[in-house]
């Protein structure tokens, strides 16, 4: 069936009263009964384990050391017998030693930003690229995008998976794609207007920067723009950040989850019920574990997400420790998809700061800042080590134009209010510096919210 037929001939059922309209790209797989899905998962798991054992020396050695052979995987629960794969393992095998295909079969390479040390390199066969486009078509369709939409894709193009992932997904569904990439924000807003763009895709922090730019350019989203959907991902989007984007750009926000190691974007998608991210379980097997002990947790408990790729050819991974903190929700969803959801991803286990003995996640700070009308969604957390070897932090946060105009007294009031609210949430007294609007550096991709000076002060 062609793309146009898929949308034109009502393969998508009309919603009953009170229900939202839910477009589903691959109804056969996305709404598969659980028993059939689990059967498919097991078949694919057995195949990928065999492939890893036979083609990737790292897995051969690891499995031999644990006394596991591919034929020992008889049920889905047997996945817990397999070794974990960590970021460290990928670095040790940089760049290509984890690949299960010779380079002549690898059609494309991507890489993570690798701010510390070597990047993670993702390899894709032609089939992998096709699967990726299909998964991205699911993500984009789930948000309600159709061939009638014009998608301005502000995810970075290049080694980062965001740009090309969205590009080929939007092309697959037949939408018009504008490969604008990140940066030149003023021009982006102009293109929204001139092209009549209906969909924006970017990191949530860059969506905020673009919203700010629209305001500065005197563009009224309701009157001057046709934007209706923002597809975001690649970093946590707190409910407050989501509300900010929706309000300022007059759009409905849909999140998507993914990572270079597993594919890029397209691992998880949000449906119109906005209650977690459906993981494409026919392609990825998920578990949550206790990050300390490595023990598998029952569904519903918060832990570290572990993912196994079930269908990748070039770069398959068994039990990859994502370091992302989340909960798995297996309740059926009203949208009709049978794939379980990640309830929320509120940061990475290694994002956690320990300030004066208290565990602090940057997303907790963001939630408080964005709940106060005195502040813009722009902040930086500077972490340092004080003379008594305890970690310390200072938060730099921009106040709104109105607070700044009202003068120092108003800025001090705002600071006190934020300090009080943060104390309620974190149980900590924090140092806060309120700065003028538009003084902190803006990101064009993932925002860098934490500046860590500890290494320098060692
Ligand atoms: O960020 C892939 C991607 C691109 C996903 C565009 C979504 C949209 P990496 O650069 O390898 O890949 O970073 C992966 O980003 O382990 C999470 O910590 C974080 N992350 C990705 N999506 C989300 C999300 C891409 N929706 C790392 N919510 C992951 C929270 C996210 N964190």
């Amino acid at each position: 069936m062609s793309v146009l037929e898929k949308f034109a001939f009502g393969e998508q059922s009309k919603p009953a009263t009170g229900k939202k309209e839910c477009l589903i790209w691959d109804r056969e797989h996305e709404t598969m009964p659980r028993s059939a899905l689990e059967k498919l998962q097991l078949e694919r798991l057995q195949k990928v384990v065999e492939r890893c054992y036979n083609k990737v020396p790292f897995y051969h050695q690891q499995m031999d050391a644990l006394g596991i052979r591919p034929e020992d995987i008889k049920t889905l629960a047997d996945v817990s017998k397999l070794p974990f794969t960590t970021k460290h393992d990928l670095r040790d095998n940089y760049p290509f030693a984890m690949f299960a295909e010779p380079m002549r079969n690898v059609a494309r390479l991507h890489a993570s930003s690798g701010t510390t040390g070597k990047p993670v390199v993702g390899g894709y066969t032609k089939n992998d690229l096709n699967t990726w486009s299909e998964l991205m078509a699911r993500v984009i369709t789930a948000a309600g995008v159709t061939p009638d939409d014009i998608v301005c894709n502000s995810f970075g193009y290049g080694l980062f998976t965001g740009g090309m992932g969205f590009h080929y997904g939007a092309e697959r569904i037949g939408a018009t794609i504008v490969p604008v990439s990140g940066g030149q924000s003023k021009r982006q807003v102009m293109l929204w207007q001139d092209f009549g763009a209906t969909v924006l895709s970017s990191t949530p922090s860059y969506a905020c920067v673009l919203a700010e730019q629209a305001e500065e350019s005197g563009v009224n989203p309701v009157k001057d723009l046709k934007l209706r959907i923002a597809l975001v991902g690649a970093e946590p989007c707190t409910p407050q950040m989501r509300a900010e984007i929706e309000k300022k750009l007059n759009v409905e926000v849909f999140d998507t989850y993914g990572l270079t190691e597993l594919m890029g974007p397209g691992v998880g998608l949000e449906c119109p019920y906005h209650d977690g991210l459906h993981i494409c379980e026919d392609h990825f097997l998920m578990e949550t574990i206790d990050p300390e002990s490595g023990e598998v947790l029952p569904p519903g408990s918060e832990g570290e997400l572990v993912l196994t790729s079930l269908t990748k050819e070039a770069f398959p991974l068994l039990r990859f420790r994502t370091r992302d903190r989340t909960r798995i929700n297996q309740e059926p969803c009203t949208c009709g998809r049978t794939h379980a959801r990640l309830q929320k991803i509120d940061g990475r286990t290694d994002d956690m700061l320990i300030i004066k003995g208290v565990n602090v996640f940057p997303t907790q700070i963001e939630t408080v800042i964005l709940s106060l009308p005195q502040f813009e969604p722009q902040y930086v957390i500077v972490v340092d080590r004080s003379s008594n070897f305890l970690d310390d932090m200072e938060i730099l946060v921009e106040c709104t134009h109105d607070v700044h105009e009202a003068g120092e007294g108003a800025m001090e009031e705002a600071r006190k209010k934020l300090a009080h609210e943060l104390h309620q949430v974190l149980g900590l007294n924090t140092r806060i510096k309120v700065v003028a609007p538009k003084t902190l550096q803006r990101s064009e991709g993932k925002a860098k919210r934490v500046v860590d000076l500890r290494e320098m002060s060692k």
Side-chain angles (χ1 to χ4, degrees):
M1 184 185 286
S2 78
V3 166
L4 284 170
E5 281 170 325
K6 199 159 182 159
F7 283 99
F9 293 129
E11 195 200 23
Q12 322 295 346
S13 47
K14 274 272 158 223
T17 328
K19 276 185 101 184
K20 298 188 182 197
E21 185 167 19
C22 294
L23 300 184
I24 299 181
W25 175 256
D26 182 351
R27 194 166 279 279
E28 181 193 343
H29 291 103
E30 294 182 74
T31 63
M32 230 177 179
R34 285 300 304 182
S35 54
L37 177 62
E38 285 172 14
K39 187 166 169 272
L40 180 68
Q41 283 182 314
L42 179 60
E43 277 164 26
R44 289 181 166 179
L45 177 66
Q46 288 168 330
K47 243 167 118 173
V48 77
V49 170
E50 196 177 323
R51 181 179 184 76
C52 287
Y53 186 75
N54 292 329
K55 296 201 169 191
V56 184
F58 168 82
Y59 284 123
H60 198 100
Q61 285 154 16
Q62 294 279 316
M63 286 173 62
D64 277 355
L66 290 170
I68 306 289
R69 295 194 50 91
E71 49 277 20
D72 294 331
I73 305 301
K74 296 197 170 71
T75 68
L76 280 179
D78 287 337
V79 71
S80 65
K81 295 179 179 165
L82 295 167
F84 287 120
T85 313
T86 63
K87 261 189 197 291
H88 204 82
D89 297 326
L90 301 184
R91 295 229 164 93
D92 286 349
N93 288 283
Y94 174 85
F96 308 138
M98 297 292 280
F99 285 10
E101 285 292 327
M103 199 47 82
R104 71 189 312 262
N105 295 342
V106 175
R108 199 194 298 162
L109 297 172
H110 277 282
S112 68
S113 56
T115 37
T116 49
K118 298 283 190 193
V120 169
V121 182
Y124 307 75
T125 62
K126 280 198 176 138
N127 284 337
D128 291 333
L129 290 176
N130 183 50
T131 306
W132 191 14
S133 297
E134 278 295 303
L135 295 185
M136 284 309 298
R138 292 186 190 181
V139 169
I140 296 170
T141 302
V145 181
T146 74
D148 293 325
D149 279 298
I150 299 177
V151 182
C152 266
N153 183 19
S154 308
F155 277 110
Y157 280 67
L159 282 177
F160 177 54
T161 53
M164 290 176 91
F166 273 86
H167 184 99
Y168 287 107
E171 250 184 33
R172 178 66 53 106
I173 73 157
T176 307
I177 178 86
V178 186
V180 61
S181 196
Q184 299 194 55
S185 307
K186 198 169 173 182
R187 193 156 162 264
Q188 301 227 8
V189 172
M190 180 192 84
L191 295 181
W192 288 348
Q193 260 186 301
D194 296 351
F195 292 0
T198 50
V199 181
L200 147 76
S201 49
S202 75
T203 59
S205 54
Y206 192 52
C208 284
V209 172
L210 289 169
E212 184 181 65
Q213 180 60 55
E215 214 168 19
E216 213 172 295
S217 303
V219 170
N220 177 335
V222 179
K223 285 200 282 194
D224 306 328
L225 297 177
K226 291 193 179 148
L227 284 180
R228 60 185 196 95
I229 291 168
L231 282 156
V232 302
E235 62 185 5
C237 182
T238 57
Q240 290 73 14
M241 173 82 85
R242 178 187 290 261
E244 179 88 15
I245 299 167
E246 295 195 330
K247 186 177 84 192
K248 289 202 169 154
L249 287 177
N250 189 36
V251 290
E252 186 172 355
V253 167
F254 290 83
D255 199 359
T256 167
Y257 170 78
L259 54 168
T260 312
E261 294 85 346
L262 269 300
M263 172 137 306
V267 175
L269 59 85
E270 192 173 301
C271 72
Y273 288 93
H274 301 292
D275 190 12
L277 289 141
H278 291 277
I279 291 294
C280 297
E281 285 191 278
D282 48 336
H283 293 274
F284 306 100
L285 190 67
M286 58 176 167
E287 307 165 80
T288 39
I289 61 162
D290 177 327
E292 302 296 325
S293 66
E295 198 184 313
V296 178
L297 299 172
S301 326
E302 181 163 326
E304 179 183 343
L305 179 67
V306 171
L307 291 170
T308 296
S309 59
L310 295 175
T311 49
K312 275 177 67 193
E313 294 180 344
F315 180 40
L317 286 182
L318 302 180
R319 302 192 87 201
F320 178 66
R321 290 190 59 163
T322 65
R323 303 191 193 169
D324 291 324
R325 290 186 314 135
T326 187
R327 268 184 300 121
I328 296 174
N329 177 6
Q330 290 185 325
E331 294 294 308
C333 181
T334 324
C335 74
R337 287 180 184 78
T338 48
H339 295 180
R341 284 164 286 169
L342 296 184
Q343 212 43 42
K344 57 185 174 134
I345 299 149
D346 46 13
R348 306 170 65 87
T349 51
D350 48 0
D351 274 349
M352 191 177 77
L353 305 166
I354 305 178
I355 308 295
K356 297 174 188 150
V358 178
N359 297 352
V360 175
F361 284 96
T363 43
Q364 289 177 296
I365 295 173
E366 178 175 306
T367 301
V368 175
I369 291 175
L370 269 70
S371 69
L372 297 175
Q374 293 93 330
F375 297 102
E376 294 292 339
Q378 300 295 342
Y379 65 96
V380 175
I381 305 163
V382 183
V383 185
D384 207 348
R385 189 153 290 168
S386 59
S387 51
N388 53 1
F389 298 102
L390 285 177
D391 288 339
D392 198 4
M393 72 173 171
E394 181 174 40
I395 301 169
L396 275 68
V397 54
E398 286 184 8
C399 61
T400 59
H401 182 72
D402 288 353
V403 170
H404 189 241
E405 284 288 287
E408 275 181 24
M411 284 168 78
E412 176 55 16
E413 270 307 300
R415 189 196 66 76
K416 280 193 189 146
K417 176 79 180 149
L418 177 57
H420 173 76
E421 296 296 321
L422 281 172
H423 190 269
Q424 300 285 315
V425 173
L426 306 175
L428 265 181
N429 288 323
T430 31
R431 284 190 292 134
I432 297 165
K433 192 167 170 187
V434 177
V435 298
K438 305 201 172 71
T439 46
L440 297 177
Q441 197 177 354
R442 301 293 188 262
S443 81
E444 293 172 359
K446 300 193 193 219
K448 186 162 170 40
R449 301 296 193 191
V450 178
V451 175
D452 197 335
L453 302 176
R454 285 172 297 187
E455 288 301 309
M456 294 178 216
S457 55
K458 259 186 189 167

